[in-house]
Amino acid sequence: MAAATLKDQLNGLVNSMFAEGLLDDQFTQLQMLQDANNPGFIAEVITLFCEDAERLLKELTTLLYFQTLDAYVHQLKGSSSSVGAQHIKHGCIRFRQFCEENSKEGCVHALNLVKHEYYRLKTKFETMVQLEQRIQAYEGQQQQ
Amino acid sequence: MLFGASRRLKQRNSRRRLISPPSPDNISLASSSSSEQRRPQPGAEKIKGPVPYAFPVRNTLNAAEFGRSGMMGLAAGRGNRVAKWAKNRTVQVVVWVVASMVISLVVHLGMRRYNMENAEKRLVSMCEDRARMLQDQFAVSVNHVHALAILVSTFHLHKNPSAIDQATFAEYTAMTAFERPLFGGVAYAQRVMRSQREKFEEQQGWVIRTMKRGPSPEQDEYAPVIFAQETLSYLKTLDMMSGEEDRENILRARATGKAVLTSPFRLLNSNHLGVVFTFPVYRTHLSQTATVEERVEATAGYLGGGFDIESLVETLLKQLAGNAEILVNVYDVTNASIPLIMYGPEQMIGYTALSHVSMLEFGDPFRKHQMECRYCQKPAVPWSAIYTPTGVFVIVMLIGYIIFTAYNRYATVVEDCRKMEELKVQAEAADVAKSQFLATVSHEIRTPMHGVLGMLDMLLDTELSSTQKDYAQTAQVCGKALISLINEVLDRAKIEAGKLEMEAVPFDIRSVLDDVISLFSAKSGIELAVFVSDKVPQVLMGDPGRFRQIVTNLVGNSIKFTERGHIFIQVHLADHATAAMNPKTEMSSNRPPDSFDTLSGLETADGRNGWETFKLLLSDWAESGSRSGGDSEDIALIVSVEDTGIGIPLQAQDRVFTPFMQADSSTSRNYGGTGIGLSISKCLVELMGGQISFISRPHFGSTFTFTAVLKRCNHSNGGEPLPSSFRGTRAIVLDDRPVRSAVTRYHLQRLGIGVEIATNAVAGRAGGGAATTEDRPAVGAESEKAAAAGGGLADAVIMKPLRASTIAACLEQVAGIRKLHRPELVNGGSAFLRRLLAGKRILVVDDNKVNRRIAAGALNKYGANVECAESGSDALSLLQIPHDFDACFMDVQMPEMDGFEATRRIRQMESRANAEGGRGREWHVPVLAMTADVIQATYEECMKSGMDGYVSKPFEEKQLYQAVARFFKSQQPPPSPTAPHEEAAAALPGWAAQMKLLSPLYIPTANITFCV
């Protein structure tokens, strides 16, 4: 497949994610950071984010103690806002509010919401990473 | 004399005793003391006035202090002391009044005493005068009697027969009576022994008779009067030896040879008190030392005279001044225990307390006489002795009152001052607390508001009915408005707390203004335009964010209050603009009344902003363009925002810049808003070293003008990358409004397009040249799309407000040029950042993997050499001196060791190293905080722990750029590999080539026609 087609697919995906509100402006900042010197940047960041988020979500699911919970949620919020995953970020904000209110029910609810959002995003991100990798691979071939 | 002195002493004592019971001066004292009693009452009230006034104050104070310190004993002790103090005040006043009374009493008594002493002295001198006079007169008389005695002895005794008979004697004595004013008359009695009596009687022809007119009985000798003055003729033939006093007198006189006096007695015929005077006449001249026997033997007769003291003294005294004032008594004090009165009233009438006694010497050694003088009345107390002490009293009381009032005043002022101080401290504390509170509350509100907004966003993404969606959108809009309001309040609080600092970064004022107008998508019917004078340098040093905030505020206000017409932003150099505007005033008077040469043709508040001035400004810039590069570092800009809105009511114009104060309360009802924006703008303008002012005419509009002092920036950075590809092309602008065409020209000139202006199409055609008319793209600029078709004549329509970038985009579109995607040039700071950061070694500390990666990626992009650390302790070990890091980005919130703590330790390390000599350099690695919540408190905390600045997370290029620029700007940036312009040119090879190809075709004719 031609690189242009792949890029169009990628753009379409990203645009649709923007349109859905899954991503915010922060992601454009990330896009701007990716250039010739740093071709796999977005894929790398996304992978990092997904690993981190999954770890955190696992911790959260097993723990659900308020004190430690808050720190993890804060981390998740930080990484999600860095990536521009705004739904997760808002979910985390809400999660922290429930933490502060010591509302276990609310926390469980928020956790589920965040998880849901995460998995929704994850699939998209996976597609995105695949596309990116294929583009890179293609460009690499061209250069060779 | 001794007697007289002791008596005077006694009199003085008795006089003192006399003073103490009520007497005129005591009455005066009593009256003055009663007036004193009356006087102190208002004074006392005045004292009592402030005292209870002071009590509650003190008491409340005490209560307050008690409340604070919780020491009851202290408060009670203080209360006692206050009571004591008040008591002292009363005592002071009483003491003062008593003292002043005593002073006036002393003055009064002193004056009386002085007066008395004066009176006494006068009395003494008068008395002595009288006594001396009487004595002298007497002496004169006695001398004359002496002469008479010699006469008698010469002409009667030593002549035989006698040369004197009764007639001669009488005549002579009568004629010389004036010489003896004190004597009633004189008579001569011859000494006749018993043996000689018969012979004598025979010789004289009469019988010697006694004083009782009977024949004289037998006795040893007789002294019958033989010669008598007329006044004493009844004495003739009488034997002087028969009267007791006379006889005694005669015996004494002849024994002593001197004039002697009897004690006073009633004279025979006048019944006046008198004395008889006897002088011996001797037959032979006797020596001074003659014995009594010799004297008796030699005695031939006696001269005697009545001495009518009463009438005589009276006539004498009448001749002297001040006779009516004093009473005179003359006493015979031979027998000291029974003084015999010779003259004057027998009762002690008159003012007996003060008298003077003068001794009289009448030449008789056996008799003593004295004169006592006293005043008829007690000497009056002089008025001065009353009103002087009264005056003194009044003055002393007044002085006391003045001191009292002054002290009271002082106390009140001190108390007031203390209260003021307290209030001031409270007010200041309250102000600081308010600002802190606002900052905190704003932040506290913002956090949940973000939650609300986020949730609303999420809600909007879900399946909603149209109504629900509408509701949610409204809620979101409201929330955003609330957030911006809170930001404003936070700004205001920051400004008030003095914590707002102006940045100094290079920025392009034109692109800032373009951004501003792009924010306000044109409201229908309003033209929004911006014009920046060519004299304003491309790049200035200042705070673009704040500058943008001010302009946005002013424009936002104008938009809010303007229904039709225009809003026009102009930027000029301040000195240039004032120079151009001043001579303009008389020109504005002769403009046509119905049309105005403004942007939209409507009248504006500030008549000076019309085309006339504008033209002047434009022409002036053309003339003096060469001197635009001034030498000074500071550049003063004058920015005006002119609108044709409703204006500001006259009565509200003076409180436009007061926070929370709108023109009038109905305004907020009609237009909304808090009225905080203008006051923030004012503060910001003042922080930029400028002033803000406005001219407003109700119904015509307002013109807000502010000045700002910015710095010249010598190294130009990329700025907004306006395409330089139009350089050299030319355009014709068709517009009948000169101001508007000037604005259009301004934007075109920024693109490097040469501009000609035509007022109508015909002129435009003429300017463009007939041959090429068809080939030219025509561009219409309109604020409304509907009108834009322009009958299909125009090739493209540019939406107003005009901006260089939109024009460029439109032209590119028309020219069929694809706009290239040049991400690294989109943002203003990237080229600059690249220069700053290229080759720097930067440490990023964050516990969050994703964040770390992104931060590293962002910094990498600008050529920085990034190293990462997962925790504060890792960072510390990496930053062990010596290290080669140029900067450190530190996450604030990290487990184990947070960013603040890590920075503190880094700073400690550095100061230790610097103290040890620094190993060749001063160690201070810039540490920038990365934080998600950028609030005042966090910022302060950052500064406190030794950080140099902060960037908010997630990383934004602009923010990063600002933060980095702040502390890297002093350092010389390493030469960047590619200059921004070259970069731009490199990015546009195809297009530039195309332009090069195209340009010759159209030059010298215009390439584009603008119909505005």
Side-chain angles (χ1 to χ4, degrees):
Chain A
M1 216 187 291
T5 333
L6 289 173
K7 274 184 183 167
D8 281 349
Q9 276 187 14
L10 183 62
N11 278 341
L13 176 69
V14 171
N15 286 339
S16 75
M17 283 169 84
F18 273 122
E20 280 180 64
L22 282 174
L23 294 175
D24 64 9
D25 284 346
Q26 185 58 31
F27 193 77
T28 46
Q29 299 271 344
L30 284 188
Q31 281 180 311
M32 279 160 64
L33 287 179
Q34 175 163 319
D35 54 16
N37 302 331
N38 207 349
F41 183 69
I42 288 185
E44 190 191 341
V45 168
I46 287 172
T47 321
L48 270 175
F49 168 71
C50 289
E51 284 169 6
D52 194 39
E54 260 165 55
R55 180 180 61 85
L56 289 168
L57 285 173
K58 204 189 280 171
E59 297 270 358
L60 286 172
T61 325
T62 51
L63 277 173
L64 269 180
Y65 285 121
F66 290 113
Q67 283 78 16
T68 41
L69 210 57
D70 192 53
Y72 285 116
V73 179
H74 178 69
Q75 286 218 355
L76 185 57
K77 183 193 138 199
S79 43
S80 58
S81 76
S82 291
V83 172
Q86 61 170 341
H87 283 190
I88 299 181
K89 188 177 86 182
H90 294 316
C92 287
I93 291 173
R94 213 165 148 213
F95 201 159
R96 291 192 75 186
Q97 278 171 8
F98 285 126
C99 284
E100 277 167 32
E101 289 162 17
N102 283 359
S103 151
K104 184 152 188 169
E105 204 180 317
C107 281
V108 174
H109 180 73
L111 179 61
N112 286 334
L113 192 88
V114 169
K115 270 186 177 169
H116 168 75
E117 286 295 341
Y118 170 67
Y119 289 120
R120 197 173 145 207
L121 187 68
K122 193 188 162 189
T123 48
K124 306 252 180 183
F125 269 171
E126 276 168 354
T127 323
M128 197 189 289
V129 169
Q130 277 173 14
L131 281 169
E132 289 271 4
Q133 279 164 354
R134 280 169 71 184
I135 291 169
Q136 275 175 40
Y138 188 78
E139 279 175 348
Q141 276 174 17
Q142 269 195 335
Q143 276 174 7
Q144 280 164 13
Chain B
M1 280 313 284
L2 197 72
F3 165 76
S6 68
R7 187 161 160 186
R8 226 183 303 162
L9 257 172
K10 241 186 237 167
Q11 281 167 352
R12 212 168 273 172
N13 286 344
S14 68
R15 189 181 60 198
R16 272 203 195 128
R17 246 176 285 122
L18 274 173
I19 288 167
S20 41
S23 67
D25 44 72
N26 271 31
I27 288 161
S28 80
L29 259 178
S31 73
S32 65
S33 68
S34 72
S35 71
E36 278 153 26
Q37 279 163 3
R38 237 175 292 126
R39 198 186 304 277
Q41 275 164 356
E45 279 166 23
K46 283 226 174 73
I47 300 156
K48 274 176 187 161
V51 169
Y53 161 72
F55 269 137
V57 172
R58 288 274 170 168
N59 284 345
T60 51
L61 233 183
N62 288 344
E65 273 170 21
F66 164 63
R68 246 176 274 147
S69 63
M71 280 191 283
M72 195 171 235
L74 187 83
R78 208 172 162 134
N80 279 346
R81 218 164 32 166
V82 169
K84 208 167 157 190
W85 170 80
K87 216 169 164 184
N88 279 349
R89 289 292 287 278
T90 328
V91 167
Q92 276 168 11
V93 171
V94 168
V95 164
W96 186 271
V97 170
V98 168
S100 56
M101 277 166 75
V102 166
I103 287 170
S104 45
L105 198 67
V106 165
V107 168
H108 176 77
L109 290 180
M111 289 187 76
R112 280 172 61 107
R113 184 172 178 154
Y114 176 74
N115 186 44
M116 268 306 177
E117 271 167 13
N118 260 0
E120 196 177 324
K121 267 185 212 158
R122 212 151 59 86
L123 185 70
V124 168
S125 77
M126 285 203 303
C127 201
E128 291 291 334
D129 276 357
R130 278 158 179 71
R132 289 293 81 76
M133 190 160 174
L134 196 61
Q135 208 172 305
D136 290 350
Q137 292 273 2
F138 189 79
V140 167
S141 303
V142 168
N143 284 346
H144 204 263
V145 170
H146 200 151
L148 209 59
I150 289 163
L151 180 93
V152 169
S153 84
T154 311
F155 292 101
H156 179 63
L157 297 180
H158 296 276
K159 296 269 183 201
N160 206 6
S162 165
I164 300 171
D165 60 358
Q166 165 62 28
T168 321
F169 187 85
E171 196 183 343
Y172 178 78
T173 51
M175 286 174 74
T176 56
F178 68 92
E179 297 268 25
R180 309 177 295 272
L182 295 179
F183 286 82
V186 284
Y188 176 70
Q190 191 171 342
R191 185 185 184 200
V192 180
M193 305 305 288
R194 191 161 56 182
S195 54
Q196 297 168 340
R197 178 175 172 172
E198 277 169 50
K199 188 184 168 195
F200 175 80
E201 282 181 346
E202 193 183 322
Q203 200 177 344
Q204 294 291 332
W206 38 262
V207 180
I208 300 170
R209 292 182 298 163
T210 62
M211 289 288 192
K212 299 187 174 75
R213 315 273 165 172
S216 178
E218 284 283 313
Q219 52 188 24
D220 283 348
E221 52 181 304
Y222 308 92
V225 173
I226 54 171
F227 306 131
Q229 202 182 330
E230 204 70 43
T231 48
L232 296 176
S233 55
Y234 59 91
L235 284 177
K236 203 168 172 199
T237 73
L238 296 183
D239 178 11
M240 285 300 130
M241 295 290 255
S242 60
E244 189 64 32
E245 277 95 359
D246 292 313
R247 181 187 161 80
E248 207 180 299
N249 250 18
I250 287 167
L251 292 180
R252 270 198 302 127
R254 71 182 184 200
T256 59
K258 287 186 176 158
V260 295
L261 295 167
T262 62
S263 60
F265 62 94
R266 299 265 156 213
L267 289 181
L268 271 182
N269 56 345
S270 64
N271 209 26
H272 279 169
L273 271 176
V275 289
V276 170
F277 163 90
T278 310
F279 193 81
V281 180
Y282 296 107
R283 207 167 285 129
T284 55
H285 185 75
L286 289 173
S287 68
Q288 287 288 315
T289 54
T291 60
V292 175
E293 283 77 28
E294 282 169 349
R295 284 180 189 278
V296 172
E297 191 58 34
T299 304
Y302 321 99
L303 265 174
F307 207 179
D308 184 351
I309 292 173
E310 212 165 345
S311 54
L312 288 174
V313 171
E314 191 128 359
T315 44
L316 180 72
L317 292 182
K318 266 178 192 160
Q319 298 166 8
L320 291 168
N323 199 33
E325 267 180 74
I326 57 170
L327 291 171
V328 177
N329 273 24
V330 181
Y331 294 100
D332 182 332
V333 287
T334 313
N335 186 349
S337 55
I338 315 157
L340 295 171
I341 195 154
M342 288 169 75
Y343 171 76
E346 292 187 17
Q347 269 78 37
M348 290 295 276
I349 57 163
Y351 181 64
T352 49
L354 183 66
S355 67
H356 179 73
V357 175
S358 301
M359 296 312 289
L360 289 173
E361 191 54 61
F362 287 140
D364 183 349
F366 289 99
R367 297 225 165 256
K368 286 191 183 110
H369 298 88
Q370 66 180 32
M371 179 182 269
E372 190 186 324
C373 302
R374 58 186 184 276
Y375 284 103
C376 305
Q377 288 163 339
K378 181 182 161 67
V381 176
W383 279 107
S384 60
I386 293 166
Y387 54 69
T388 308
T390 314
V392 167
F393 179 77
V394 168
I395 287 166
V396 171
M397 286 314 285
L398 278 177
I399 288 169
Y401 182 70
I402 288 166
I403 292 170
F404 172 74
T405 337
Y407 182 79
N408 247 9
R409 178 106 189 123
Y410 171 76
T412 330
V413 167
V414 165
E415 178 66 19
D416 283 356
C417 197
R418 196 188 53 74
K419 272 193 266 177
M420 289 296 177
E421 284 289 330
E422 227 164 68
L423 288 176
K424 190 175 153 243
V425 168
Q426 276 176 17
E428 279 167 357
D431 198 44
V432 170
K434 188 200 79 181
S435 298
Q436 291 284 350
F437 171 79
L438 277 178
T440 326
V441 162
S442 306
H443 175 241
E444 291 300 315
I445 296 172
R446 265 203 303 187
T447 317
M449 271 310 289
H450 279 302
V452 170
L453 286 177
M455 286 303 126
L456 280 170
D457 265 348
M458 286 165 76
L459 182 67
L460 281 169
D461 286 338
T462 55
E463 293 293 319
L464 294 176
S465 74
S466 62
T467 329
Q468 283 170 332
K469 195 161 186 166
D470 185 37
Y471 291 167
Q473 272 167 348
T474 316
Q476 197 180 26
V477 169
C478 293
K480 277 178 183 160
L482 181 57
I483 286 281
S484 73
L485 174 65
I486 288 164
N487 285 342
E488 278 188 345
V489 170
L490 188 62
D491 263 356
R492 173 86 212 169
K494 264 195 214 165
I495 292 167
E496 275 181 6
K499 281 168 186 158
L500 194 78
E501 278 172 14
M502 286 289 155
E503 292 179 336
V505 293
F507 73 103
D508 179 3
I509 192 167
R510 290 172 178 81
S511 63
V512 167
L513 291 173
D514 279 353
D515 288 352
V516 170
I517 55 171
S518 70
L519 281 177
F520 299 96
S521 55
K523 203 165 152 187
S524 67
I526 302 177
E527 279 201 56
L528 189 59
V530 63
F531 177 86
V532 182
S533 158
D534 253 20
K535 308 198 73 161
V536 178
Q538 187 74 25
V539 183
L540 290 165
M541 289 284 270
D543 191 331
R546 298 302 174 186
F547 187 82
R548 184 204 313 265
Q549 195 178 354
I550 299 167
V551 179
T552 311
N553 236 321
L554 294 178
V555 175
N557 256 351
S558 292
I559 294 256
K560 209 190 283 179
F561 295 115
T562 305
E563 295 298 328
R564 67 200 178 88
H566 68 264
I567 291 157
F568 187 23
I569 309 164
Q570 290 182 64
V571 183
H572 297 283
L573 289 183
D575 44 354
H576 182 55
T578 44
M581 280 184 185
N582 285 339
K584 164 77 213 5
T585 32
E586 72 275 4
M587 287 162 77
S588 60
S589 55
N590 52 19
R591 66 186 170 200
D594 47 346
S595 81
F596 295 92
D597 278 327
T598 60
L599 190 69
S600 63
L602 290 172
E603 191 177 356
T604 55
D606 188 358
R608 293 181 302 177
N609 271 354
W611 167 241
E612 305 278 343
T613 321
F614 204 63
K615 201 165 61 185
L616 213 68
L617 278 170
L618 296 183
S619 63
D620 202 27
W621 117 49
E623 283 163 21
S624 56
S626 55
R627 64 165 189 98
S628 64
D631 320 313
S632 75
E633 272 297 296
D634 286 340
I635 291 182
L637 295 182
I638 183 160
V639 182
S640 67
V641 177
E642 166 190 289
D643 69 56
T644 54
I646 57 166
I648 301 165
L650 291 175
Q651 72 270 15
Q653 290 194 357
D654 51 349
R655 51 190 161 87
V656 160
F657 293 115
T658 321
F660 309 108
M661 198 78 97
Q662 279 191 334
D664 79 70
S665 53
S666 65
T667 315
S668 51
R669 256 178 274 139
N670 294 339
Y671 299 98
T674 52
I676 198 174
L678 278 176
S679 86
I680 290 174
S681 300
K682 186 175 192 299
C683 294
L684 291 175
V685 165
E686 278 161 6
L687 280 173
M688 286 190 186
Q691 287 168 329
I692 189 164
S693 65
F694 67 96
I695 296 173
S696 182
R697 278 163 69 199
H699 312 299
F700 289 107
S702 319
T703 302
F704 280 82
T705 310
F706 71 89
T707 55
V709 180
L710 302 172
K711 290 257 186 293
R712 193 181 289 280
C713 181
N714 291 324
H715 54 100
S716 70
N717 69 349
E720 194 195 20
L722 283 175
S724 51
S725 45
F726 294 103
R727 243 171 258 280
T729 50
R730 298 181 62 209
I732 289 181
V733 174
L734 289 179
D735 199 333
D736 60 339
R737 292 244 175 76
V739 176
R740 200 158 55 188
S741 56
V743 171
T744 315
R745 183 166 73 170
Y746 152 70
H747 288 295
L748 290 173
Q749 277 180 338
R750 283 175 63 194
L751 292 170
I753 299 172
V755 179
E756 275 176 51
I757 291 172
T759 47
N760 55 46
V762 178
R765 212 171 284 267
T772 50
T773 311
E774 279 76 43
D775 302 329
R776 260 179 281 141
V779 181
E782 261 313 328
S783 47
E784 282 177 71
K785 267 185 192 151
L793 290 173
D795 292 309
V797 173
I798 301 178
M799 285 296 291
K800 276 189 183 173
L802 282 183
R803 284 188 292 149
S805 52
T806 49
I807 292 175
C810 188
L811 291 178
E812 278 168 356
Q813 195 188 335
V814 170
I817 301 159
R818 191 175 66 92
K819 188 172 169 27
L820 292 179
H821 185 59
R822 285 166 285 125
E824 66 272 300
L825 287 180
V826 166
N827 198 296
S830 59
F832 188 65
L833 260 185
R834 176 172 282 279
R835 268 192 295 155
L836 280 181
L837 292 176
K840 301 264 184 204
R841 250 172 83 74
I842 293 175
L843 179 65
V844 172
V845 188
D846 198 328
D847 61 317
N848 190 316
K849 238 187 283 176
V850 181
N851 286 353
R852 205 160 59 219
R853 184 66 195 91
I854 290 170
L859 292 168
N860 259 331
K861 199 186 126 190
Y862 301 110
N865 191 354
V866 181
E867 196 142 326
C868 295
E870 258 181 62
S871 68
S873 39
D874 284 358
L876 276 181
S877 59
L878 278 169
L879 284 172
Q880 285 298 334
I881 290 168
H883 60 75
D884 57 349
F885 288 103
D886 294 299
C888 173
F889 284 76
M890 179 83 71
D891 187 27
V892 169
Q893 214 167 357
M894 286 186 292
E896 287 160 41
M897 185 192 291
D898 67 7
F900 301 132
E901 180 57 33
T903 313
R904 267 193 286 277
R905 293 204 186 174
I906 289 168
R907 292 291 175 240
Q908 277 169 16
M909 229 153 64
E910 281 173 345
S911 58
R912 263 205 306 279
N914 288 336
E916 284 164 16
R919 292 180 209 176
R921 57 178 269 209
E922 186 85 358
W923 289 96
H924 182 96
V925 61
V927 177
L928 290 156
M930 294 191 291
T931 167
D933 50 352
V934 191
I935 57 158
Q936 194 62 37
T938 318
Y939 178 68
E940 273 168 15
E941 182 83 48
C942 289
M943 295 296 122
K944 222 186 282 172
S945 50
M947 292 182 175
D948 297 274
Y950 67 85
V951 288
S952 67
K953 271 194 313 191
F955 259 5
E956 259 181 57
E957 197 174 8
K958 187 167 151 276
Q959 255 241 314
L960 179 66
Y961 159 68
Q962 283 176 357
V964 171
R966 192 179 300 156
F967 68 91
F968 273 150
K969 71 183 167 207
S970 53
Q971 302 172 17
Q972 189 60 40
S976 101
T978 49
H981 290 305
E982 290 166 30
E983 223 171 295
L988 293 167
W991 200 81
Q994 208 172 349
M995 270 320 283
K996 272 177 195 150
L997 282 174
L998 287 172
S999 295
L1001 282 177
Y1002 295 106
I1003 290 170
T1005 57
N1007 306 99
I1008 306 142
T1009 310
F1010 271 81
C1011 311
V1012 186

